[in-house]
PDB file of all heavy atoms in Angstrom:
ATOM      1  N   ASP A 155       7.520   9.940  13.451  1.00 95.00           N
ATOM      2  CA  ASP A 155       6.276  10.704  13.386  1.00 95.00           C
ATOM      3  C   ASP A 155       5.204   9.938  12.617  1.00 95.00           C
ATOM      4  O   ASP A 155       4.015  10.041  12.929  1.00 95.00           O
ATOM      5  CB  ASP A 155       6.519  12.053  12.683  1.00 95.00           C
ATOM      6  CG  ASP A 155       7.555  12.895  13.407  1.00 95.00           C
ATOM      7  OD1 ASP A 155       7.478  12.972  14.647  1.00 95.00           O
ATOM      8  OD2 ASP A 155       8.440  13.461  12.732  1.00 95.00           O
ATOM      9  N   VAL A 156       5.639   9.182  11.618  1.00 97.00           N
ATOM     10  CA  VAL A 156       4.709   8.463  10.741  1.00 97.00           C
ATOM     11  C   VAL A 156       5.250   7.066  10.471  1.00 97.00           C
ATOM     12  O   VAL A 156       6.454   6.881  10.270  1.00 97.00           O
ATOM     13  CB  VAL A 156       4.524   9.211   9.396  1.00 97.00           C
ATOM     14  CG1 VAL A 156       3.599   8.430   8.472  1.00 97.00           C
ATOM     15  CG2 VAL A 156       3.997  10.612   9.624  1.00 97.00           C
ATOM     16  N   LYS A 157       4.335   6.096  10.476  1.00 97.00           N
ATOM     17  CA  LYS A 157       4.681   4.730  10.077  1.00 97.00           C
ATOM     18  C   LYS A 157       3.833   4.346   8.856  1.00 97.00           C
ATOM     19  O   LYS A 157       2.634   4.622   8.828  1.00 97.00           O
ATOM     20  CB  LYS A 157       4.452   3.737  11.216  1.00 97.00           C
ATOM     21  CG  LYS A 157       5.390   3.951  12.399  1.00 97.00           C
ATOM     22  CD  LYS A 157       5.176   2.890  13.481  1.00 97.00           C
ATOM     23  CE  LYS A 157       6.144   3.093  14.637  1.00 97.00           C
ATOM     24  NZ  LYS A 157       5.981   2.064  15.702  1.00 97.00           N
ATOM     25  N   VAL A 158       4.482   3.729   7.880  1.00 98.00           N
ATOM     26  CA  VAL A 158       3.793   3.322   6.654  1.00 98.00           C
ATOM     27  C   VAL A 158       3.828   1.796   6.578  1.00 98.00           C
ATOM     28  O   VAL A 158       4.905   1.200   6.423  1.00 98.00           O
ATOM     29  CB  VAL A 158       4.460   3.921   5.399  1.00 98.00           C
ATOM     30  CG1 VAL A 158       3.684   3.520   4.145  1.00 98.00           C
ATOM     31  CG2 VAL A 158       4.547   5.438   5.520  1.00 98.00           C
ATOM     32  N   ARG A 159       2.662   1.184   6.705  1.00 98.00           N
ATOM     33  CA  ARG A 159       2.558  -0.274   6.632  1.00 98.00           C
ATOM     34  C   ARG A 159       1.996  -0.654   5.263  1.00 98.00           C
ATOM     35  O   ARG A 159       1.039  -0.036   4.797  1.00 98.00           O
ATOM     36  CB  ARG A 159       1.671  -0.797   7.756  1.00 98.00           C
ATOM     37  CG  ARG A 159       2.230  -0.474   9.142  1.00 98.00           C
ATOM     38  CD  ARG A 159       1.259  -0.828  10.251  1.00 98.00           C
ATOM     39  NE  ARG A 159       1.808  -0.508  11.559  1.00 98.00           N
ATOM     40  CZ  ARG A 159       1.111  -0.555  12.687  1.00 98.00           C
ATOM     41  NH1 ARG A 159      -0.173  -0.913  12.666  1.00 98.00           N
ATOM     42  NH2 ARG A 159       1.688  -0.246  13.836  1.00 98.00           N
ATOM     43  N   LEU A 160       2.578  -1.689   4.677  1.00 98.00           N
ATOM     44  CA  LEU A 160       2.221  -2.019   3.292  1.00 98.00           C
ATOM     45  C   LEU A 160       1.808  -3.475   3.141  1.00 98.00           C
ATOM     46  O   LEU A 160       2.253  -4.355   3.877  1.00 98.00           O
ATOM     47  CB  LEU A 160       3.398  -1.731   2.359  1.00 98.00           C
ATOM     48  CG  LEU A 160       3.950  -0.311   2.380  1.00 98.00           C
ATOM     49  CD1 LEU A 160       5.314  -0.286   3.053  1.00 98.00           C
ATOM     50  CD2 LEU A 160       4.032   0.276   0.990  1.00 98.00           C
ATOM     51  N   HIS A 161       0.953  -3.692   2.143  1.00 98.00           N
ATOM     52  CA  HIS A 161       0.518  -5.046   1.782  1.00 98.00           C
ATOM     53  C   HIS A 161       0.532  -5.140   0.261  1.00 98.00           C
ATOM     54  O   HIS A 161      -0.271  -4.491  -0.415  1.00 98.00           O
ATOM     55  CB  HIS A 161      -0.892  -5.322   2.315  1.00 98.00           C
ATOM     56  CG  HIS A 161      -1.305  -6.760   2.196  1.00 98.00           C
ATOM     57  ND1 HIS A 161      -1.748  -7.501   3.257  1.00 98.00           N
ATOM     58  CD2 HIS A 161      -1.340  -7.595   1.125  1.00 98.00           C
ATOM     59  CE1 HIS A 161      -2.032  -8.724   2.858  1.00 98.00           C
ATOM     60  NE2 HIS A 161      -1.793  -8.798   1.558  1.00 98.00           N
ATOM     61  N   VAL A 162       1.437  -5.953  -0.270  1.00 98.00           N
ATOM     62  CA  VAL A 162       1.530  -6.142  -1.724  1.00 98.00           C
ATOM     63  C   VAL A 162       0.656  -7.322  -2.109  1.00 98.00           C
ATOM     64  O   VAL A 162       0.931  -8.465  -1.729  1.00 98.00           O
ATOM     65  CB  VAL A 162       2.985  -6.387  -2.166  1.00 98.00           C
ATOM     66  CG1 VAL A 162       3.050  -6.650  -3.664  1.00 98.00           C
ATOM     67  CG2 VAL A 162       3.858  -5.195  -1.794  1.00 98.00           C
ATOM     68  N   ASP A 163      -0.410  -7.055  -2.862  1.00 97.00           N
ATOM     69  CA  ASP A 163      -1.271  -8.131  -3.350  1.00 97.00           C
ATOM     70  C   ASP A 163      -0.731  -8.713  -4.654  1.00 97.00           C
ATOM     71  O   ASP A 163      -0.820  -9.916  -4.892  1.00 97.00           O
ATOM     72  CB  ASP A 163      -2.696  -7.607  -3.575  1.00 97.00           C
ATOM     73  CG  ASP A 163      -3.351  -7.188  -2.275  1.00 97.00           C
ATOM     74  OD1 ASP A 163      -3.391  -8.011  -1.341  1.00 97.00           O
ATOM     75  OD2 ASP A 163      -3.813  -6.040  -2.181  1.00 97.00           O
ATOM     76  N   ASP A 164      -0.183  -7.858  -5.497  1.00 97.00           N
ATOM     77  CA  ASP A 164       0.372  -8.292  -6.782  1.00 97.00           C
ATOM     78  C   ASP A 164       1.484  -7.349  -7.207  1.00 97.00           C
ATOM     79  O   ASP A 164       1.345  -6.127  -7.115  1.00 97.00           O
ATOM     80  CB  ASP A 164      -0.699  -8.300  -7.877  1.00 97.00           C
ATOM     81  CG  ASP A 164      -1.179  -9.705  -8.211  1.00 97.00           C
ATOM     82  OD1 ASP A 164      -0.413 -10.662  -7.973  1.00 97.00           O
ATOM     83  OD2 ASP A 164      -2.311  -9.846  -8.707  1.00 97.00           O
ATOM     84  N   LEU A 165       2.572  -7.915  -7.665  1.00 97.00           N
ATOM     85  CA  LEU A 165       3.652  -7.146  -8.279  1.00 97.00           C
ATOM     86  C   LEU A 165       4.430  -8.153  -9.125  1.00 97.00           C
ATOM     87  O   LEU A 165       5.425  -8.726  -8.704  1.00 97.00           O
ATOM     88  CB  LEU A 165       4.550  -6.502  -7.213  1.00 97.00           C
ATOM     89  CG  LEU A 165       5.586  -5.484  -7.712  1.00 97.00           C
ATOM     90  CD1 LEU A 165       4.940  -4.375  -8.531  1.00 97.00           C
ATOM     91  CD2 LEU A 165       6.363  -4.893  -6.556  1.00 97.00           C
ATOM     92  N   ILE A 166       3.928  -8.378 -10.345  1.00 97.00           N
ATOM     93  CA  ILE A 166       4.443  -9.482 -11.138  1.00 97.00           C
ATOM     94  C   ILE A 166       4.372  -9.166 -12.625  1.00 97.00           C
ATOM     95  O   ILE A 166       3.459  -8.446 -13.079  1.00 97.00           O
ATOM     96  CB  ILE A 166       3.652 -10.782 -10.833  1.00 97.00           C
ATOM     97  CG1 ILE A 166       4.333 -12.008 -11.445  1.00 97.00           C
ATOM     98  CG2 ILE A 166       2.208 -10.665 -11.292  1.00 97.00           C
ATOM     99  CD1 ILE A 166       3.770 -13.328 -10.955  1.00 97.00           C
ATOM    100  N   VAL A 167       5.328  -9.681 -13.369  1.00 96.00           N
ATOM    101  CA  VAL A 167       5.356  -9.511 -14.825  1.00 96.00           C
ATOM    102  C   VAL A 167       4.349 -10.479 -15.449  1.00 96.00           C
ATOM    103  O   VAL A 167       4.353 -11.676 -15.147  1.00 96.00           O
ATOM    104  CB  VAL A 167       6.764  -9.791 -15.374  1.00 96.00           C
ATOM    105  CG1 VAL A 167       6.762  -9.765 -16.899  1.00 96.00           C
ATOM    106  CG2 VAL A 167       7.755  -8.783 -14.822  1.00 96.00           C
ATOM    107  N   VAL A 168       3.486  -9.943 -16.312  1.00 96.00           N
ATOM    108  CA  VAL A 168       2.440 -10.750 -16.948  1.00 96.00           C
ATOM    109  C   VAL A 168       2.767 -10.915 -18.430  1.00 96.00           C
ATOM    110  O   VAL A 168       2.825  -9.924 -19.173  1.00 96.00           O
ATOM    111  CB  VAL A 168       1.051 -10.097 -16.780  1.00 96.00           C
ATOM    112  CG1 VAL A 168      -0.027 -10.959 -17.447  1.00 96.00           C
ATOM    113  CG2 VAL A 168       0.743  -9.892 -15.305  1.00 96.00           C
ATOM    114  N   ASP A 169       2.996 -12.171 -18.837  1.00 91.00           N
ATOM    115  CA  ASP A 169       3.245 -12.519 -20.240  1.00 91.00           C
ATOM    116  C   ASP A 169       4.394 -11.722 -20.868  1.00 91.00           C
ATOM    117  O   ASP A 169       4.411 -11.484 -22.078  1.00 91.00           O
ATOM    118  CB  ASP A 169       1.970 -12.327 -21.081  1.00 91.00           C
ATOM    119  CG  ASP A 169       0.873 -13.303 -20.677  1.00 91.00           C
ATOM    120  OD1 ASP A 169       1.221 -14.425 -20.263  1.00 91.00           O
ATOM    121  OD2 ASP A 169      -0.315 -12.950 -20.782  1.00 91.00           O
ATOM    122  N   GLY A 170       5.323 -11.252 -20.030  1.00 91.00           N
ATOM    123  CA  GLY A 170       6.479 -10.537 -20.549  1.00 91.00           C
ATOM    124  C   GLY A 170       6.155  -9.180 -21.147  1.00 91.00           C
ATOM    125  O   GLY A 170       6.999  -8.600 -21.845  1.00 91.00           O
ATOM    126  N   GLN A 171       4.953  -8.630 -20.866  1.00 94.00           N
ATOM    127  CA  GLN A 171       4.535  -7.377 -21.488  1.00 94.00           C
ATOM    128  C   GLN A 171       4.251  -6.261 -20.497  1.00 94.00           C
ATOM    129  O   GLN A 171       4.558  -5.097 -20.758  1.00 94.00           O
ATOM    130  CB  GLN A 171       3.281  -7.619 -22.345  1.00 94.00           C
ATOM    131  CG  GLN A 171       3.515  -8.598 -23.487  1.00 94.00           C
ATOM    132  CD  GLN A 171       2.257  -8.836 -24.300  1.00 94.00           C
ATOM    133  OE1 GLN A 171       1.177  -8.362 -23.949  1.00 94.00           O
ATOM    134  NE2 GLN A 171       2.391  -9.573 -25.385  1.00 94.00           N
ATOM    135  N   THR A 172       3.668  -6.596 -19.357  1.00 97.00           N
ATOM    136  CA  THR A 172       3.303  -5.570 -18.374  1.00 97.00           C
ATOM    137  C   THR A 172       3.684  -6.021 -16.962  1.00 97.00           C
ATOM    138  O   THR A 172       3.860  -7.219 -16.702  1.00 97.00           O
ATOM    139  CB  THR A 172       1.786  -5.292 -18.396  1.00 97.00           C
ATOM    140  OG1 THR A 172       1.068  -6.512 -18.103  1.00 97.00           O
ATOM    141  CG2 THR A 172       1.346  -4.745 -19.743  1.00 97.00           C
ATOM    142  N   LEU A 173       3.798  -5.047 -16.078  1.00 97.00           N
ATOM    143  CA  LEU A 173       4.014  -5.305 -14.664  1.00 97.00           C
ATOM    144  C   LEU A 173       2.720  -4.964 -13.940  1.00 97.00           C
ATOM    145  O   LEU A 173       2.313  -3.810 -13.892  1.00 97.00           O
ATOM    146  CB  LEU A 173       5.164  -4.451 -14.123  1.00 97.00           C
ATOM    147  CG  LEU A 173       5.491  -4.622 -12.634  1.00 97.00           C
ATOM    148  CD1 LEU A 173       5.961  -6.048 -12.345  1.00 97.00           C
ATOM    149  CD2 LEU A 173       6.553  -3.618 -12.199  1.00 97.00           C
ATOM    150  N   ARG A 174       2.066  -5.985 -13.409  1.00 97.00           N
ATOM    151  CA  ARG A 174       0.803  -5.788 -12.693  1.00 97.00           C
ATOM    152  C   ARG A 174       1.103  -5.336 -11.266  1.00 97.00           C
ATOM    153  O   ARG A 174       1.889  -5.956 -10.554  1.00 97.00           O
ATOM    154  CB  ARG A 174      -0.014  -7.076 -12.670  1.00 97.00           C
ATOM    155  CG  ARG A 174      -1.355  -6.939 -11.927  1.00 97.00           C
ATOM    156  CD  ARG A 174      -1.991  -8.288 -11.726  1.00 97.00           C
ATOM    157  NE  ARG A 174      -2.389  -8.878 -12.997  1.00 97.00           N
ATOM    158  CZ  ARG A 174      -2.822 -10.140 -13.110  1.00 97.00           C
ATOM    159  NH1 ARG A 174      -2.864 -10.921 -12.036  1.00 97.00           N
ATOM    160  NH2 ARG A 174      -3.177 -10.613 -14.286  1.00 97.00           N
ATOM    161  N   VAL A 175       0.433  -4.250 -10.846  1.00 98.00           N
ATOM    162  CA  VAL A 175       0.711  -3.645  -9.539  1.00 98.00           C
ATOM    163  C   VAL A 175      -0.584  -3.517  -8.736  1.00 98.00           C
ATOM    164  O   VAL A 175      -1.531  -2.858  -9.175  1.00 98.00           O
ATOM    165  CB  VAL A 175       1.347  -2.243  -9.689  1.00 98.00           C
ATOM    166  CG1 VAL A 175       1.718  -1.686  -8.324  1.00 98.00           C
ATOM    167  CG2 VAL A 175       2.553  -2.292 -10.617  1.00 98.00           C
ATOM    168  N   ARG A 176      -0.610  -4.138  -7.581  1.00 98.00           N
ATOM    169  CA  ARG A 176      -1.726  -3.989  -6.637  1.00 98.00           C
ATOM    170  C   ARG A 176      -1.131  -3.915  -5.234  1.00 98.00           C
ATOM    171  O   ARG A 176      -0.726  -4.928  -4.661  1.00 98.00           O
ATOM    172  CB  ARG A 176      -2.701  -5.166  -6.749  1.00 98.00           C
ATOM    173  CG  ARG A 176      -3.472  -5.219  -8.065  1.00 98.00           C
ATOM    174  CD  ARG A 176      -4.274  -6.487  -8.201  1.00 98.00           C
ATOM    175  NE  ARG A 176      -4.981  -6.553  -9.464  1.00 98.00           N
ATOM    176  CZ  ARG A 176      -5.511  -7.674  -9.973  1.00 98.00           C
ATOM    177  NH1 ARG A 176      -5.414  -8.813  -9.288  1.00 98.00           N
ATOM    178  NH2 ARG A 176      -6.131  -7.661 -11.137  1.00 98.00           N
ATOM    179  N   ILE A 177      -1.073  -2.707  -4.704  1.00 98.00           N
ATOM    180  CA  ILE A 177      -0.449  -2.476  -3.398  1.00 98.00           C
ATOM    181  C   ILE A 177      -1.387  -1.654  -2.531  1.00 98.00           C
ATOM    182  O   ILE A 177      -1.916  -0.630  -2.967  1.00 98.00           O
ATOM    183  CB  ILE A 177       0.895  -1.739  -3.545  1.00 98.00           C
ATOM    184  CG1 ILE A 177       1.848  -2.534  -4.447  1.00 98.00           C
ATOM    185  CG2 ILE A 177       1.537  -1.516  -2.174  1.00 98.00           C
ATOM    186  CD1 ILE A 177       3.142  -1.807  -4.753  1.00 98.00           C
ATOM    187  N   ARG A 178      -1.590  -2.096  -1.313  1.00 98.00           N
ATOM    188  CA  ARG A 178      -2.359  -1.327  -0.327  1.00 98.00           C
ATOM    189  C   ARG A 178      -1.399  -0.868   0.772  1.00 98.00           C
ATOM    190  O   ARG A 178      -0.440  -1.568   1.087  1.00 98.00           O
ATOM    191  CB  ARG A 178      -3.461  -2.195   0.288  1.00 98.00           C
ATOM    192  CG  ARG A 178      -4.576  -2.585  -0.684  1.00 98.00           C
ATOM    193  CD  ARG A 178      -5.541  -3.550  -0.036  1.00 98.00           C
ATOM    194  NE  ARG A 178      -4.972  -4.893   0.082  1.00 98.00           N
ATOM    195  CZ  ARG A 178      -5.318  -5.762   1.033  1.00 98.00           C
ATOM    196  NH1 ARG A 178      -6.163  -5.410   2.002  1.00 98.00           N
ATOM    197  NH2 ARG A 178      -4.775  -6.963   1.050  1.00 98.00           N
ATOM    198  N   TRP A 179      -1.678   0.301   1.307  1.00 98.00           N
ATOM    199  CA  TRP A 179      -0.838   0.771   2.417  1.00 98.00           C
ATOM    200  C   TRP A 179      -1.643   1.634   3.370  1.00 98.00           C
ATOM    201  O   TRP A 179      -2.703   2.178   3.014  1.00 98.00           O
ATOM    202  CB  TRP A 179       0.392   1.515   1.905  1.00 98.00           C
ATOM    203  CG  TRP A 179       0.187   2.901   1.396  1.00 98.00           C
ATOM    204  CD1 TRP A 179       0.267   4.071   2.097  1.00 98.00           C
ATOM    205  CD2 TRP A 179      -0.164   3.285   0.056  1.00 98.00           C
ATOM    206  NE1 TRP A 179       0.016   5.139   1.293  1.00 98.00           N
ATOM    207  CE2 TRP A 179      -0.239   4.693   0.028  1.00 98.00           C
ATOM    208  CE3 TRP A 179      -0.394   2.571  -1.120  1.00 98.00           C
ATOM    209  CZ2 TRP A 179      -0.566   5.399  -1.118  1.00 98.00           C
ATOM    210  CZ3 TRP A 179      -0.717   3.264  -2.269  1.00 98.00           C
ATOM    211  CH2 TRP A 179      -0.789   4.661  -2.260  1.00 98.00           C
ATOM    212  N   ALA A 180      -1.126   1.738   4.591  1.00 98.00           N
ATOM    213  CA  ALA A 180      -1.774   2.533   5.639  1.00 98.00           C
ATOM    214  C   ALA A 180      -0.757   3.485   6.241  1.00 98.00           C
ATOM    215  O   ALA A 180       0.394   3.116   6.483  1.00 98.00           O
ATOM    216  CB  ALA A 180      -2.349   1.628   6.724  1.00 98.00           C
ATOM    217  N   ILE A 181      -1.183   4.697   6.472  1.00 97.00           N
ATOM    218  CA  ILE A 181      -0.351   5.700   7.135  1.00 97.00           C
ATOM    219  C   ILE A 181      -0.836   5.858   8.568  1.00 97.00           C
ATOM    220  O   ILE A 181      -2.004   6.175   8.808  1.00 97.00           O
ATOM    221  CB  ILE A 181      -0.412   7.052   6.393  1.00 97.00           C
ATOM    222  CG1 ILE A 181       0.294   6.914   5.044  1.00 97.00           C
ATOM    223  CG2 ILE A 181       0.231   8.155   7.227  1.00 97.00           C
ATOM    224  CD1 ILE A 181       0.298   8.177   4.234  1.00 97.00           C
ATOM    225  N   VAL A 182       0.056   5.610   9.492  1.00 97.00           N
ATOM    226  CA  VAL A 182      -0.268   5.719  10.917  1.00 97.00           C
ATOM    227  C   VAL A 182       0.526   6.890  11.486  1.00 97.00           C
ATOM    228  O   VAL A 182       1.768   6.877  11.475  1.00 97.00           O
ATOM    229  CB  VAL A 182       0.092   4.417  11.669  1.00 97.00           C
ATOM    230  CG1 VAL A 182      -0.260   4.555  13.149  1.00 97.00           C
ATOM    231  CG2 VAL A 182      -0.604   3.226  11.043  1.00 97.00           C
ATOM    232  N   ARG A 183      -0.179   7.910  11.959  1.00 96.00           N
ATOM    233  CA  ARG A 183       0.472   9.096  12.533  1.00 96.00           C
ATOM    234  C   ARG A 183       0.629   8.882  14.031  1.00 96.00           C
ATOM    235  O   ARG A 183      -0.352   8.756  14.766  1.00 96.00           O
ATOM    236  CB  ARG A 183      -0.346  10.353  12.230  1.00 96.00           C
ATOM    237  CG  ARG A 183      -0.511  10.585  10.725  1.00 96.00           C
ATOM    238  CD  ARG A 183      -1.270  11.852  10.416  1.00 96.00           C
ATOM    239  NE  ARG A 183      -1.572  11.955   8.989  1.00 96.00           N
ATOM    240  CZ  ARG A 183      -0.762  12.457   8.060  1.00 96.00           C
ATOM    241  NH1 ARG A 183       0.420  12.920   8.432  1.00 96.00           N
ATOM    242  NH2 ARG A 183      -1.126  12.502   6.796  1.00 96.00           N
ATOM    243  N   MET A 184       1.863   8.822  14.480  1.00 94.00           N
ATOM    244  CA  MET A 184       2.146   8.524  15.877  1.00 94.00           C
ATOM    245  C   MET A 184       1.750   9.701  16.769  1.00 94.00           C
ATOM    246  O   MET A 184       1.895  10.861  16.388  1.00 94.00           O
ATOM    247  CB  MET A 184       3.633   8.208  16.049  1.00 94.00           C
ATOM    248  CG  MET A 184       4.141   7.138  15.085  1.00 94.00           C
ATOM    249  SD  MET A 184       3.146   5.622  15.085  1.00 94.00           S
ATOM    250  CE  MET A 184       3.435   5.064  16.758  1.00 94.00           C
ATOM    251  N   GLY A 185       1.235   9.393  17.943  1.00 91.00           N
ATOM    252  CA  GLY A 185       0.815  10.416  18.883  1.00 91.00           C
ATOM    253  C   GLY A 185      -0.491  11.075  18.510  1.00 91.00           C
ATOM    254  O   GLY A 185      -0.822  12.144  19.036  1.00 91.00           O
ATOM    255  N   SER A 186      -1.228  10.468  17.590  1.00 88.00           N
ATOM    256  CA  SER A 186      -2.506  11.025  17.158  1.00 88.00           C
ATOM    257  C   SER A 186      -3.614  10.007  17.398  1.00 88.00           C
ATOM    258  O   SER A 186      -3.395   8.795  17.308  1.00 88.00           O
ATOM    259  CB  SER A 186      -2.453  11.397  15.674  1.00 88.00           C
ATOM    260  OG  SER A 186      -3.737  11.757  15.206  1.00 88.00           O
ATOM    261  N   ASP A 187      -4.800  10.517  17.690  1.00 89.00           N
ATOM    262  CA  ASP A 187      -5.941   9.630  17.913  1.00 89.00           C
ATOM    263  C   ASP A 187      -6.679   9.303  16.615  1.00 89.00           C
ATOM    264  O   ASP A 187      -7.631   8.523  16.626  1.00 89.00           O
ATOM    265  CB  ASP A 187      -6.935  10.283  18.895  1.00 89.00           C
ATOM    266  CG  ASP A 187      -6.321  10.440  20.287  1.00 89.00           C
ATOM    267  OD1 ASP A 187      -5.445   9.618  20.627  1.00 89.00           O
ATOM    268  OD2 ASP A 187      -6.717  11.368  21.013  1.00 89.00           O
ATOM    269  N   THR A 188      -6.257   9.887  15.518  1.00 89.00           N
ATOM    270  CA  THR A 188      -6.937   9.632  14.245  1.00 89.00           C
ATOM    271  C   THR A 188      -6.639   8.207  13.776  1.00 89.00           C
ATOM    272  O   THR A 188      -5.527   7.694  13.957  1.00 89.00           O
ATOM    273  CB  THR A 188      -6.472  10.629  13.170  1.00 89.00           C
ATOM    274  OG1 THR A 188      -5.046  10.504  13.001  1.00 89.00           O
ATOM    275  CG2 THR A 188      -6.809  12.043  13.583  1.00 89.00           C
ATOM    276  N   PRO A 189      -7.619   7.540  13.148  1.00 95.00           N
ATOM    277  CA  PRO A 189      -7.394   6.170  12.657  1.00 95.00           C
ATOM    278  C   PRO A 189      -6.398   6.157  11.501  1.00 95.00           C
ATOM    279  O   PRO A 189      -6.102   7.195  10.891  1.00 95.00           O
ATOM    280  CB  PRO A 189      -8.789   5.725  12.204  1.00 95.00           C
ATOM    281  CG  PRO A 189      -9.532   6.999  11.910  1.00 95.00           C
ATOM    282  CD  PRO A 189      -8.995   8.008  12.874  1.00 95.00           C
ATOM    283  N   ALA A 190      -5.904   4.992  11.204  1.00 96.00           N
ATOM    284  CA  ALA A 190      -4.962   4.833  10.093  1.00 96.00           C
ATOM    285  C   ALA A 190      -5.621   5.251   8.782  1.00 96.00           C
ATOM    286  O   ALA A 190      -6.799   4.983   8.546  1.00 96.00           O
ATOM    287  CB  ALA A 190      -4.496   3.385  10.018  1.00 96.00           C
ATOM    288  N   GLU A 191      -4.860   5.917   7.938  1.00 97.00           N
ATOM    289  CA  GLU A 191      -5.357   6.348   6.634  1.00 97.00           C
ATOM    290  C   GLU A 191      -5.010   5.275   5.602  1.00 97.00           C
ATOM    291  O   GLU A 191      -3.850   4.889   5.456  1.00 97.00           O
ATOM    292  CB  GLU A 191      -4.707   7.680   6.252  1.00 97.00           C
ATOM    293  CG  GLU A 191      -4.923   8.770   7.302  1.00 97.00           C
ATOM    294  CD  GLU A 191      -3.953   9.925   7.142  1.00 97.00           C
ATOM    295  OE1 GLU A 191      -3.466  10.151   6.007  1.00 97.00           O
ATOM    296  OE2 GLU A 191      -3.659  10.596   8.154  1.00 97.00           O
ATOM    297  N   LEU A 192      -6.031   4.788   4.886  1.00 98.00           N
ATOM    298  CA  LEU A 192      -5.859   3.668   3.974  1.00 98.00           C
ATOM    299  C   LEU A 192      -5.818   4.141   2.526  1.00 98.00           C
ATOM    300  O   LEU A 192      -6.619   4.979   2.104  1.00 98.00           O
ATOM    301  CB  LEU A 192      -6.995   2.656   4.162  1.00 98.00           C
ATOM    302  CG  LEU A 192      -7.202   2.146   5.606  1.00 98.00           C
ATOM    303  CD1 LEU A 192      -8.358   1.171   5.653  1.00 98.00           C
ATOM    304  CD2 LEU A 192      -5.921   1.508   6.137  1.00 98.00           C
ATOM    305  N   TYR A 193      -4.897   3.555   1.751  1.00 98.00           N
ATOM    306  CA  TYR A 193      -4.723   3.921   0.343  1.00 98.00           C
ATOM    307  C   TYR A 193      -4.458   2.658  -0.475  1.00 98.00           C
ATOM    308  O   TYR A 193      -4.137   1.600   0.081  1.00 98.00           O
ATOM    309  CB  TYR A 193      -3.566   4.905   0.176  1.00 98.00           C
ATOM    310  CG  TYR A 193      -3.728   6.190   0.949  1.00 98.00           C
ATOM    311  CD1 TYR A 193      -3.284   6.288   2.278  1.00 98.00           C
ATOM    312  CD2 TYR A 193      -4.330   7.298   0.366  1.00 98.00           C
ATOM    313  CE1 TYR A 193      -3.434   7.463   2.997  1.00 98.00           C
ATOM    314  CE2 TYR A 193      -4.482   8.479   1.083  1.00 98.00           C
ATOM    315  CZ  TYR A 193      -4.036   8.553   2.396  1.00 98.00           C
ATOM    316  OH  TYR A 193      -4.186   9.719   3.100  1.00 98.00           O
ATOM    317  N   ALA A 194      -4.582   2.798  -1.783  1.00 98.00           N
ATOM    318  CA  ALA A 194      -4.327   1.653  -2.661  1.00 98.00           C
ATOM    319  C   ALA A 194      -3.764   2.130  -3.994  1.00 98.00           C
ATOM    320  O   ALA A 194      -4.036   3.242  -4.454  1.00 98.00           O
ATOM    321  CB  ALA A 194      -5.602   0.859  -2.891  1.00 98.00           C
ATOM    322  N   MET A 195      -2.959   1.282  -4.599  1.00 97.00           N
ATOM    323  CA  MET A 195      -2.362   1.535  -5.909  1.00 97.00           C
ATOM    324  C   MET A 195      -2.686   0.317  -6.781  1.00 97.00           C
ATOM    325  O   MET A 195      -2.325  -0.815  -6.440  1.00 97.00           O
ATOM    326  CB  MET A 195      -0.852   1.721  -5.771  1.00 97.00           C
ATOM    327  CG  MET A 195      -0.113   1.993  -7.053  1.00 97.00           C
ATOM    328  SD  MET A 195       1.677   2.199  -6.697  1.00 97.00           S
ATOM    329  CE  MET A 195       2.302   2.602  -8.321  1.00 97.00           C
TER     330      MET A 195
END
């Protein structure tokens, strides 16, 4: 019913203190004419 496509721009430990997270993803609803819904973290 739904496909989730992802693009990881960053997911890495920085200086041993933090985990940097930059992820984009799109939700594609199958059988629907609506465009993909875009999100980011």
Side-chain angles (χ1 to χ4, degrees):
D155 300 316
V156 178
K157 294 183 178 181
V158 182
R159 299 172 180 171
L160 304 109
H161 190 126
V162 177
D163 295 306
D164 256 336
L165 190 54
I166 191 168
V167 174
V168 180
D169 294 328
Q171 298 179 354
T172 59
L173 180 63
R174 180 190 293 171
V175 184
R176 292 172 181 164
I177 302 174
R178 292 174 286 152
W179 76 91
I181 291 180
V182 180
R183 300 182 188 274
M184 308 308 295
S186 172
D187 294 331
T188 59
E191 304 163 26
L192 306 179
Y193 301 88
M195 180 180 183

